[in-house]
Amino acid sequence: MTTPARVIDTHLHVWRTDAPWMSWLGDRPSWWEPVRRDFSFAELREELDQAGVAELILVQAGTNVLETRQLLALAATEPSVRGVVGWATLTSPAATARDLDSFTGIPGADRLVGIRNNHHWPPDGDVLADPRVIDSCRVVSDRGLPLDLHFKDDRELPLAVAIAERLPELTIVIDHLGKPRLGDQSAFTTWAASMRRLAVLPNVYVKYSGWATFVRRTLATDIQPYIDLVLDAFGSHRVMYGGNWPVALVAGNYRDTYRATLDAVAGRPDSDIENVLYRTAAACYRLPQPSPVRSTT
């Protein structure tokens, strides 16, 4: 396997624990203790440089437009940040438009490349289960933005199927391989059926991310059958890499997670690897022409 010259990590966070939108971190189980602290962009950049990953997309960690504004401001000063997947409410079309309008004209506004909804999280709660959410999703689509969807686990994937079928013009990104229950082998069939339903919808992409957190270790064999199915069903042109730092630190350091992620796809053609590590992200998030490759030495 040849690692391509350009690698972009599509799923990374930075945060301060005292931010009001980070209160959810206190509700996580005890094994999340390694990530219950502040994580700066400087620390993230050091981790990426050590792994040889030059470019990235920052993703919201909370459900507050103020966080998105901060991430956009950071992106405006950091050339390696190719984009920000922020947050906007989906509770009504007017409210969605209001939140999106609030990013207009601010530093880094041109780096907004997507919106993410965290199902069940306040203030939106279970809005994805409300058929009327289509009207808010249409606002996101009309702005030319993909919608990342983050579920508790794969049993909620039928909600994504319903939205993708009703709104084919909306690009949908399924975070973390659809959150399969890796510790429950009997659940593979349910996850696989949902992913195959999504794969027939050309507007759906998948992030190859977050998996090590589920099992709290970085072994390629844990994820091999899952990424094999996703690549075979979706094609590499709809699958993209995400490291999920710092959440992934509950399983191991960034380099270990990245290496195991690559090991699980090592038998794939170089063209597939190039798609997963760069081209898919550039196409899905409509990234502008890239700047020269950042040196990581």
Side-chain angles (χ1 to χ4, degrees), residues 183-215:
D184 182 359
Q185 290 301 312
S186 65
F188 182 89
T189 301
T190 302
W191 167 84
S194 291
M195 294 304 284
R196 289 191 178 105
R197 288 181 65 193
L198 288 165
V200 303
L201 303 169
N203 54 324
V204 179
Y205 290 71
V206 180
K207 279 186 179 174
Y208 177 22
S209 60
W211 63 271
T213 305
F214 311 152
V215 287

Side-chain angles (χ1 to χ4, degrees), residues 13-14 27 35 45 56 98 131 147 280 283:
H13 309 286
V14 292
D27 298 330
V35 301
R45 189 64 265 170
L56 67 140
R98 178 200 65 216
L147 178 64
T280 300

Side-chain angles (χ1 to χ4, degrees), residues 191-273:
W191 167 84
S194 291
M195 294 304 284
R196 289 191 178 105
R197 288 181 65 193
L198 288 165
V200 303
L201 303 169
N203 54 324
V204 179
Y205 290 71
V206 180
K207 279 186 179 174
Y208 177 22
S209 60
W211 63 271
T213 305
F214 311 152
V215 287
R216 285 178 271 168
R217 62 187 185 189
T218 57
L219 295 177
T221 51
D222 286 331
I223 200 60
Q224 187 85 57
Y226 296 87
I227 188 56
D228 281 348
L229 183 145
V230 167
L231 285 170
D232 290 343
F234 286 83
S236 63
H237 64 291
R238 289 197 285 150
V239 181
M240 67 189 95
Y241 162 65
N244 200 32
W245 187 94
V247 179
L249 293 176
V250 303
N253 64 45
Y254 184 90
R255 282 174 294 173
D256 287 346
T257 301
Y258 180 51
R259 178 49 53 191
T261 297
L262 292 182
D263 287 346
V265 296
R268 296 280 170 168
D270 286 350
S271 59
D272 282 355
I273 305 304

Side-chain angles (χ1 to χ4, degrees), residues 109-294:
D110 61 331
R111 301 291 182 92
L112 184 69
V113 298
I115 295 299
R116 182 163 83 140
N117 184 272
N118 303 69
H119 190 47
H120 301 305
W121 291 30
D124 279 18
D126 294 348
V127 71
L128 295 180
D130 186 336
R132 292 171 295 181
V133 77
I134 289 296
D135 295 326
S136 294
C137 291
R138 187 172 288 109
V139 173
V140 176
S141 177
D142 288 347
R143 301 293 180 99
L145 297 170
L147 178 64
D148 272 50
L149 295 180
H150 175 221
F151 295 108
K152 180 179 179 180
D153 63 45
D154 63 280
R155 287 169 288 193
E156 297 173 339
L157 287 174
L159 296 174
V161 174
I163 295 171
E165 289 180 336
R166 292 184 61 194
L167 201 60
E169 63 269 32
L170 173 67
T171 296
I172 290 177
V173 180
I174 304 298
D175 287 356
H176 307 332
L177 296 169
K179 299 286 283 286
R181 289 159 282 160
L182 296 189
D184 182 359
Q185 290 301 312
S186 65
F188 182 89
T189 301
T190 302
W191 167 84
S194 291
M195 294 304 284
R196 289 191 178 105
R197 288 181 65 193
L198 288 165
V200 303
L201 303 169
N203 54 324
V204 179
Y205 290 71
V206 180
K207 279 186 179 174
Y208 177 22
S209 60
W211 63 271
T213 305
F214 311 152
V215 287
R216 285 178 271 168
R217 62 187 185 189
T218 57
L219 295 177
T221 51
D222 286 331
I223 200 60
Q224 187 85 57
Y226 296 87
I227 188 56
D228 281 348
L229 183 145
V230 167
L231 285 170
D232 290 343
F234 286 83
S236 63
H237 64 291
R238 289 197 285 150
V239 181
M240 67 189 95
Y241 162 65
N244 200 32
W245 187 94
V247 179
L249 293 176
V250 303
N253 64 45
Y254 184 90
R255 282 174 294 173
D256 287 346
T257 301
Y258 180 51
R259 178 49 53 191
T261 297
L262 292 182
D263 287 346
V265 296
R268 296 280 170 168
D270 286 350
S271 59
D272 282 355
I273 305 304
E274 187 173 2
N275 282 341
V276 171
L277 294 184
Y278 192 84
R279 291 189 180 278
T280 300
C284 175
Y285 289 115
R286 305 175 189 179
L287 301 182
Q289 185 67 26
S291 56
V293 178
R294 172 193 171 95

